[in-house]
Amino acid sequence: MSAPELTVERVELLRLSMPLRLPFRTSFGTQTHRDVVLARVDCGGVEGWGELVAGSGPWYSEETVGSALVLLREHIVPLMVGASFSHPSAVARLLAPIRGNHMAKATVETACWDAWALAGGESLAHVIGGVRDRVPTGVSVGIQDSVAQLLDLIERHLAEGYARIKVKVEPGWDVEPLAAIRERFGDIPLMADANSAYRLNDASRLQQLDGFDLTMVEQPLAHDDIADHAVLARQLATPICLDESLHSAALTRHALDLGACAIVNVKIGRLGGHDESRAVHRLCVERRVPVWCGGMLETGVGRLHNLAIASLPGFTLPGDTSASKRYWEADIIDPPVTLAADGTVAVPGAGGIVSRLDRDRLSALVDGRESFS
């Protein structure tokens, strides 16, 4: 791709609160809305958009909306304003001296990728190496009040055409609901996501999940524990997928070397942006390890970034790139992300995220703006 060198002239941070269509419960707790921060990066008339995926509290990650905003205001944005880049990989290198804070960094790093693709007249998917114009997608189903409620919800999602069902589990909400799903729906593609709800001494309980022919069990043990996942992996027939434990290509390599996982969840925010996500993808392709794109209840802005990364060749499993209406009565992009009858969603084409923004909807939701130049 041939694109001009871009200079970041202004960064704008927009805050908004978006209510979820339905409460979403995991082992961390129940979420009814998202505190959203969007970044708009202005590069001489070309604008790129990114989304902060941190939560309101430090449950999934130590990063929160509040802490990320401090990092953005005081450290990240000052580095970005006035910086020039001829390729967006330079943005990751510029931000590398800031330790951790991957979600905060990804907010502007992804926006710069979006701007660079737009400046070159290419789609984001194409410039990061994507090879597909549609990707299969699954749906993530939170912990419900009853098994009957869970089954009814899954039935609706299967009727909508989703290619895979992922259910959140925790001790006491695992064997019974999974058994009921298999009894009612047969051999549908099914996985379980524990969000670090178990400990190694729960191995005998987790071994009971082997009887349900799951595609994977995701992040069963602690978020910062790779070694015990390697021990657990030797005790389970079900493949382990790691999510919260993997913040870089280097950590992913360590996990694979130890045998801690057989599948990798790629989340752009958790990894600090597209550049590190592509590095994880390259490593997993070399090791012949399947990857898929996880979700963080993103608005359409983050969802379009997810669809772009999910178009890379190593993403062989359906991701959490559900349709906009799965979470929002009305998204902030138009047209919204929609699910086709074959269980796929379209990868965004050229024109940048700016071409998909619903400006009226966005303006109605924004309750705070900060501009830096």
Side-chain angles (χ1 to χ4, degrees), residues 85-241:
F85 59 93
S86 56
H87 190 278
S89 290
V91 176
R93 293 193 294 271
L94 178 67
L95 299 178
I98 299 174
R99 294 191 181 186
N101 296 284
H102 299 99
M103 293 179 179
K105 289 191 281 192
T107 311
V108 294
E109 193 261 14
T110 55
C112 289
W113 274 94
D114 181 40
W116 194 71
L118 179 60
E122 302 274 6
S123 71
L124 175 60
H126 184 262
V127 301
I128 65 176
V131 297
R132 294 187 288 270
D133 59 6
R134 302 195 68 87
V135 295
T137 188
V139 66
S140 180
V141 182
I143 296 169
Q144 304 298 306
D145 292 334
S146 68
V147 171
Q149 186 179 49
L150 173 70
L151 296 178
D152 288 345
L153 187 56
I154 290 173
E155 186 169 47
R156 292 201 295 273
H157 290 317
L158 290 174
E160 291 169 332
Y162 282 104
R164 178 227 69 204
I165 300 295
K166 180 174 84 172
V167 293
K168 298 290 187 177
V169 296
E170 64 182 4
W173 179 266
D174 42 27
V175 176
E176 181 185 2
L178 290 170
I181 292 168
R182 280 295 183 224
E183 181 178 358
R184 181 156 167 181
F185 301 112
D187 61 351
I188 62 169
L190 180 65
M191 61 178 287
D193 182 6
N195 291 118
S196 304
Y198 298 83
R199 296 296 176 262
L200 188 56
N201 59 13
D202 294 316
S204 60
R205 185 170 190 88
L206 289 165
Q207 285 171 342
Q208 296 179 59
L209 307 189
D210 285 342
F212 301 121
D213 192 26
L214 302 177
T215 304
M216 68 191 84
V217 57
E218 184 181 0
Q219 196 69 42
L221 307 182
H223 72 284
D224 57 354
D225 195 331
I226 291 177
D228 277 354
H229 275 105
V231 175
L232 179 64
R234 294 192 289 271
Q235 300 179 49
L236 300 183
T238 303
I240 288 177
C241 170

Side-chain angles (χ1 to χ4, degrees), residues 10 26 35 44 48 101 112-113 123 155 240 279 285 300-301 314 345 353:
R10 186 164 72 101
T26 71
D35 294 323
N101 296 284
C112 289
W113 274 94
S123 71
E155 186 169 47
I240 288 177
V285 169
V301 171
V345 292
I353 290 174

